[in-house]
Amino acid sequence: MKIALAQLNYTIGDIEGNKNKILDAITRAKNEGADLVLFAEQAVSGTPAFDLLRKTTFLELCEEALDEIAIHTNGIAAIVGAPVLTTEGTISAAVVMEGGRITHYVGKQYITARREMGFLTSAKGYETVIIKGHKCAVVVGDDLRRISEIDHSADLIISVNTRKYSRGVMRYRLETMHNLAFVAGKDLILINQVGGSTEIVYDGTSGVINGRGELMLLMKSFEEDFQIYDTQADHAPVEIPESLNRTQLVYKAACLGLKDFYHKNGYQKACVGLSGGIDSAVVACMAVEALGRENVHALLMPSPFSPDMSVEDGKALAENLGISYNVIPISAVYNSMLETLKPVIGGTEFDFTEENIQSRIRTVLLMALQNKTGYMLLNSSNKSENALGLCTLYGDTAGAFSPTGDIYKSEMYDIARYINRIHNDVIPENILNKEPSSELHIGQKDSDILPPYEVVDAILYRMIEESQHREEIINAGFDSEVVEKIHAMIMRNEKKRYQFPPVLRLSTCAFGHERLMPLTNKYGD
């Protein structure tokens, strides 16, 4: 059987647009002689659709789209993912079509993702369906990892899926597919979608593994793709690319997530506050990659505490990128605000109050640019600072979208070096080499209160991604005072994370979704 895998980029709620993409792929599959064409889970609706899955009108429009798609399946079979309303509630189904009509609905049994809990209802689970004379075990979503035994009479396994990207997940996914296919002794075909859906990015990387556990087909990552796999033909195994777990994929994921967030929401242009530091440099590069240099504008806003070199570094980066920029010193505004506040805070010692005013002034200017010109503000935060609260509410936590808020500080340097490798040292070397600083007062450095970020991030990773207790981390060789300090900083800054813009989720445990703490709690006091 010739099976076409249509790995496409869908938009949540654009039922008409998604339907047309599916119809175009069905036409192409017919023209290329395919017997069956596969589409990802919830292809018709886009995902995650959240409360749209509770709207009867939305679900009826999905059903109408399915009926229209089915009409075009004369001479070919198709499996299309869609939400379907049943008497028990909304299920995520693989809808099997053949001969111009819908023949089966195979529902997902295990609802494991937080983004689906409360919106989807558990269904019966995988079924063996005869398609074009072949017995196919059709599995939806995470049911694939929970099947203890596949129908021995099935010819192959088809996994209709939506697998989001996170660091390291691709290799784990391929290992899981290998184990399932090898144990079942059957070809396993996984179809995924690609593209950004607000805080999530789907990587694609659909594939086929044969009954010997060999990888036979691997589709593109972070791009739409269309390929045909012939189950009867001889195929040579393909190698797993060495780059599957590298910085390159994080960069591609962030750029795609950024691009789709802007374009799917009707935004075209982005503004960035360039500080001369590593974070804003990486975000500016991502914006240019995703949106084009003509659609990116930067503001450089030196305060009384900004070294001249930081301004020069920011200007050099903007010129290297070919983006427009303005230099707007904020010293006069800053001093005026302090003078205005004197009746309230006058005479007090300089502390974080005055430091935070700088960040909030910059955000006022950036938001004014956004409101007047339509350059939507990109946030330049990183996961380390978000975790520790080294950010200012209504200051550098502001923005329409954060492409790097789930990337640790030390990883930002890795990404910057990768960008320089592929774009001819666009980021000035001085930005890479200077000691991290928020430039909040004369001579201020992050190392005044923290050890090097390599140490900080190692501790944060253990606490956040691996959920290790402080004792475990200390026993692993980390300084107990540093561990306790970092833990305390994480716990007391949840209030800031509650007020962040949408943060693209690139890790296995992102703040606000995989890791959500009560805003009011006494744990760890």
Side-chain angles (χ1 to χ4, degrees):
M1 181 163 58
K2 290 184 177 180
I3 302 175
L5 286 78
Q7 178 178 287
L8 303 177
N9 188 338
Y10 307 104
T11 300
I12 298 167
D14 185 12
I15 297 169
E16 185 70 14
N18 296 336
K19 179 195 73 178
N20 289 335
K21 279 187 172 241
I22 292 167
L23 290 176
D24 288 345
I26 289 174
T27 300
R28 179 176 176 180
K30 286 182 179 179
N31 291 339
E32 296 189 20
D35 302 299
L36 169 65
V37 56
L38 306 178
F39 301 91
E41 184 181 1
Q42 297 190 48
V44 171
S45 60
T47 184
F50 297 123
D51 270 307
L52 289 175
L53 297 173
R54 293 173 173 164
K55 288 186 174 290
T56 303
T57 304
F58 177 76
L59 296 170
E60 287 174 347
L61 289 171
C62 290
E63 284 281 0
E64 290 172 8
L66 287 169
D67 289 338
E68 186 173 344
I69 293 166
I71 293 171
H72 291 77
T73 58
N74 282 311
I76 195 170
I79 300 180
V80 183
V84 174
L85 183 61
T86 70
T87 54
E88 287 77 29
T90 304
I91 65 169
S92 180
V95 184
V96 184
M97 309 168 178
E98 188 175 355
R101 65 185 184 88
I102 294 172
T103 60
H104 292 85
Y105 293 91
V106 180
K108 179 161 67 175
Q109 181 177 3
Y110 296 98
I111 312 299
T112 57
R114 282 193 181 185
R115 61 185 179 274
E116 295 179 342
M117 293 177 182
F119 305 106
L120 289 175
T121 300
S122 177
K124 176 184 174 182
Y126 105 91
E127 295 182 34
T128 301
V129 180
I130 297 177
I131 303 173
K132 291 286 184 179
H134 297 266
K135 285 189 174 182
C136 304
V138 180
V139 187
V140 183
D142 220 24
D143 287 5
L144 184 66
R145 291 194 302 158
R146 289 166 170 77
I147 294 175
S148 57
E149 187 173 324
I150 293 288
D151 182 354
H152 291 297
S153 66
D155 298 316
L156 71 156
I157 306 165
I158 296 173
S159 173
V160 178
N161 232 307
T162 49
R163 309 303 295 176
K164 73 181 185 71
Y165 172 76
S166 61
R167 286 186 298 272
V169 75
M170 292 188 191
R171 192 168 294 275
Y172 170 75
R173 185 189 307 159
L174 291 173
E175 288 174 357
T176 301
M177 290 174 63
H178 162 87
N179 294 338
L180 287 166
F182 183 77
V183 170
K186 304 180 186 303
D187 287 3
L188 168 59
I189 302 174
L190 182 144
I191 182 67
N192 194 19
Q193 63 174 271
V194 67
S197 292
T198 309
E199 296 159 302
I200 294 172
V201 61
Y202 299 103
D203 58 83
T205 326
S206 306
V208 180
I209 290 183
N210 67 17
R212 296 186 296 277
E214 299 168 324
L215 182 63
M216 308 308 293
L217 173 68
L218 187 65
M219 299 179 78
K220 294 176 182 177
S221 298
F222 306 110
E223 294 181 49
E224 290 192 329
D225 199 2
F226 182 97
Q227 296 193 40
I228 291 181
Y229 179 76
D230 188 342
T231 61
Q232 302 302 314
D234 291 329
H235 298 274
V238 300
E239 294 292 326
I240 298 175
E242 288 296 321
S243 62
L244 269 187
N245 284 327
R246 294 183 179 174
T247 303
Q248 169 190 357
L249 292 182
V250 178
Y251 179 70
K252 284 187 174 182
C255 289
L256 178 58
L258 191 164
K259 177 181 179 180
D260 278 358
F261 178 83
Y262 270 63
H263 289 172
K264 290 180 180 181
N265 283 291
Y267 309 141
Q268 298 298 323
K269 302 182 289 185
C271 64
V272 182
L274 283 186
S275 65
I278 194 72
D279 300 328
S280 62
V282 168
V283 169
C285 292
M286 288 178 174
V288 169
E289 183 83 20
L291 306 174
R293 66 187 64 189
E294 70 279 5
N295 293 315
V296 181
H297 188 84
L299 292 186
L300 288 77
M301 298 165 284
S303 78
F305 312 112
S306 302
D308 292 341
M309 184 56 70
S310 291
V311 179
E312 295 306 312
D313 290 339
K315 289 167 63 176
L317 173 66
E319 289 164 3
N320 289 348
L321 288 172
I323 62 176
S324 57
Y325 68 93
N326 296 103
V327 180
I328 307 177
I330 66 169
S331 296
V333 180
Y334 175 73
N335 291 329
S336 176
M337 188 166 287
L338 291 185
E339 188 67 26
T340 302
L341 281 169
K342 265 190 178 180
V344 181
I345 63 171
T348 58
E349 184 178 350
F350 184 98
D351 60 17
F352 67 88
T353 305
E354 288 81 3
E355 293 177 349
N356 288 339
I357 286 171
Q358 300 171 72
S359 180
R360 291 179 179 132
I361 290 170
R362 292 184 175 112
T363 296
V364 167
L365 299 177
L366 287 161
M367 289 303 297
L369 175 65
Q370 172 178 306
N371 295 156
K372 186 63 74 173
T373 66
Y375 281 88
M376 303 301 292
L377 174 58
L378 271 177
N379 179 276
S380 299
S381 63
N382 65 69
K383 190 169 187 174
S384 306
E385 292 170 359
N386 291 350
L388 301 171
L390 300 179
C391 46
T392 301
L393 273 179
Y394 323 118
D396 55 354
T397 60
F401 187 68
S402 173
T404 57
D406 197 27
I407 299 175
Y408 290 105
K409 183 79 170 187
S410 53
E411 291 178 305
M412 296 292 276
Y413 286 93
D414 294 337
I415 293 172
R417 294 184 186 98
Y418 170 74
I419 291 169
N420 274 358
R421 285 199 300 274
I422 63 172
H423 291 304
N424 197 28
D425 294 328
V426 69
I427 299 175
E429 195 66 25
N430 194 50
I431 291 178
L432 285 161
N433 294 333
K434 71 173 65 172
E435 188 169 353
S437 169
S438 300
E439 299 178 353
L440 296 174
H441 57 259
I442 296 292
Q444 183 264 329
K445 302 184 295 294
D446 292 5
S447 59
D448 295 340
I449 60 171
L450 292 169
Y453 274 106
E454 290 79 4
V455 176
V456 172
D457 289 349
I459 295 171
L460 289 173
Y461 184 87
R462 288 170 177 265
M463 284 185 179
I464 298 167
E465 256 83 0
E466 297 186 346
S467 298
Q468 289 187 8
H469 191 272
R470 283 161 281 168
E471 289 183 4
E472 291 181 83
I473 300 171
I474 293 166
N475 290 339
F478 292 92
D479 181 86
S480 60
E481 288 187 13
V482 172
V483 171
E484 294 291 347
K485 180 178 182 177
I486 287 175
H487 178 264
M489 293 174 76
I490 293 174
M491 296 303 293
R492 70 170 175 258
N493 282 292
E494 192 69 25
K495 62 183 181 296
K496 292 186 178 181
R497 293 188 287 273
Y498 263 68
Q499 301 180 67
F500 279 179
V503 174
L504 188 65
R505 294 152 61 180
L506 300 170
S507 73
T508 56
C509 187
F511 287 120
H513 294 273
E514 289 87 1
R515 188 185 190 278
L516 183 61
M517 290 292 180
L519 185 56
T520 303
N521 80 87
K522 289 284 188 179
Y523 175 76
D525 279 4

